[in-house]
Structures are given as C-alpha cells and as structure tokens.
Amino acid sequence: MALYDPFGRSINYLRLSVTDRCNLRCIYCMPAAGVHAIKHADVLSFEELLTVSRAAVAIGVEKIRVTGGEPLVRKGIIPFLAELATTPGLKRLVLTTNGILLPEMAAELRCAGVESLNISLDSLQPDTFDSITRGGNILKVFEGIKAAEEAGFKRIKINMVVIRGVNDHEVADFAALTLKRPYHVRFIEYMPTLRDDSWKARTISGSEILGKLALRYTLQPESKAAMDGPASYYRIAGAAGRVGVITPVSCHFCNECNRIRVTSTGIAKSCLFATETHDLKPYIHAGDDQALRDALRYVVTTKPEHHAIAERAQKNITLPMSQVGG
C-alpha cells in the first residue's frame, strides 16, 4: 500500500521517539538548564508504541527509526525492538543513538533485529566533544562504534552537526574515517532549534562543507539507495565508505521528504518544524485501530510543502530536539 501526501511525495518512513530522556546535554539539542522531563504517565507504553507502529506500517510505512532523547536509556528497549522487528510489512528497523551505551548493548540490538545505526558524534577531540555534549565521554562512543562493527552491523552512519567556530575544522578528519571503514559519515547543517540569535553565524552550508572536503580529497557523487533519507552522498576516491551532506537550511530537501514523526507522548507531526500536531492517544486508548490509521493518514495530508526553519527562528520558537525525536 502506497501512502502519498498532497504534493505527491511517497511517505514510507516513521521517526518514532520512545523517550525524551538523554544521558547527554548537547548544546544544539537542549538548553543549558535542561528541559522539564515529561512525566512517565504521559509517555506511551511499549505496547502503545507498538500499536502506533503497526498502524503506520498498515497504511504504507516501510521504515521505522527509533529515536529519543536517547532511546537506549529507556528500560526494556531491547524486547520492544525485538517485537517491533517482527511487524509484518516493516522492511527496515533502524535506531539513532549517541553511542554512550553501545558498548554494552550493540550485540543485543543486532540480535533484536535492528538493521542499522545512526551514531551522533560531533567531534573527534575529547575536549570539544565534552564541550558540545556538556560532559560526554568520547571514549565510550568510540568503544560503541567498535562494538557495533563486532556485532555485525553493516550500515553504521556517523552524524556530525557542523558548527562554525566549534568543530568545523574537523570536517576533513571526519571524512577520513571513511577511507578504510565502510562508514557513512554525514555532515548536517546547524539548525536554529533553540533560542539562538547567532544561529546564522554558526551555520555552515553544505556547499561550504563540500568545499572544505575538496581541499583534501577528490569527491565522486554517488546515487542514493532506496529509503536513504535526505543526505546527498559522495565517495572519496578509493574509500571504503561514503560521506554525505544534509542541508535543511541552505538547500531544502523538502521536495523528497518521505517521513512523519510520532513523539513519545503520542503526538504526531508531519514535519519536524510543523506547528500543527495531532494527538494519537485518544485513538490508542480507545483501542480503535481504524481510527488510529485514519489519524495517521490525516497527518500525512497536512504535510507542508516546505519547512519553516527561518520563520520559527525569527519568532524565537524553540524546539528542544530531545522531545521530538531529532
């Protein structure tokens, strides 16, 4: 069953947040003082999250990315993922993590049926990593990446949010990670999700990132695979892996967006920056699967043609990423 929005885009991808909790406090994800934690009673149970997921697959979703916060901090996440992986019609189950808990959990994740991992890593330098994450241990992330390889993950994506004056000098070093290992290293433009009057000065465009890489490497454009997401991919000549650039600010990829989102509290969004949301809890609590499917279809019909990052920034509307699933 194919699912299309009003602009003819095929919607086959659900980003599903399972928690707002996180063991890091990244500077672009939440304010320095943190955010008010959502009450446990307001967070969907794993059974309810499965209900949402199965309803989404029933109407045409083929790929689910489990996110947080940090999804691995939620107790019981492994059995949930194992159950989710058995959903008939689901073609790809993937997970986004900061990697801190991967050393202990990578093997279990692979056995549970998670196909690939997106690992957030914004610096290769301990001091810079500590500053960006407000206290994170970079060695645990390195150990987690190694554990993921040893567990048999063939698709490991490393995501770097590039911030001018903070970590932009490391772009070429990140790309070098692909030379001998089959990683997908993706560079993401800094977005104004929090109140930040200097966001434009911090943002480095995808074209500038590619320019930095071209100073050291010869890049060869690569075509996207099915359900690859918004990145434009390149390969350094002879490299085992690929580099990608994700450009939500400088070059909208909205025309090929294929996703909807559901937060850990059951709020569905057609776009990360959408102002209109839809509460799925009434349909979940009523046990009305058909109404839940119809509600998800409605969310697809409200999907905007383009996001509104700049407009939200001008109005100082904050969007703590830990609460919407990144």
Side-chain angles (χ1 to χ4, degrees), residues 49-65:
L49 289 165
L50 285 170
T51 297
V52 171
S53 300
R54 288 165 178 161
V57 173
I59 65 171
V61 165
E62 299 174 305
K63 173 182 176 180
I64 294 178
R65 176 174 300 285

Side-chain angles (χ1 to χ4, degrees), residues 27-28 121-125 128-129 131-132 160-176 185-190 199-217:
I27 59 175
Y28 53 80
L121 178 62
D122 298 318
S123 178
L124 300 174
Q125 301 174 3
T128 305
F129 182 83
S131 177
I132 293 173
M160 177 198 189
V161 176
V162 184
I163 311 172
R164 191 184 304 278
V166 177
N167 62 358
D168 54 310
H169 60 287
E170 297 187 62
V171 165
D173 293 334
F174 266 87
V185 172
R186 287 115 60 84
F187 303 103
I188 305 173
E189 291 178 342
Y190 178 82
W199 73 270
K200 288 185 178 180
R202 288 172 172 250
T203 300
I204 296 183
S205 69
S207 59
E208 185 176 346
I209 292 169
L210 289 174
K212 287 176 175 289
L213 294 177
L215 293 174
R216 186 184 298 185
Y217 306 111

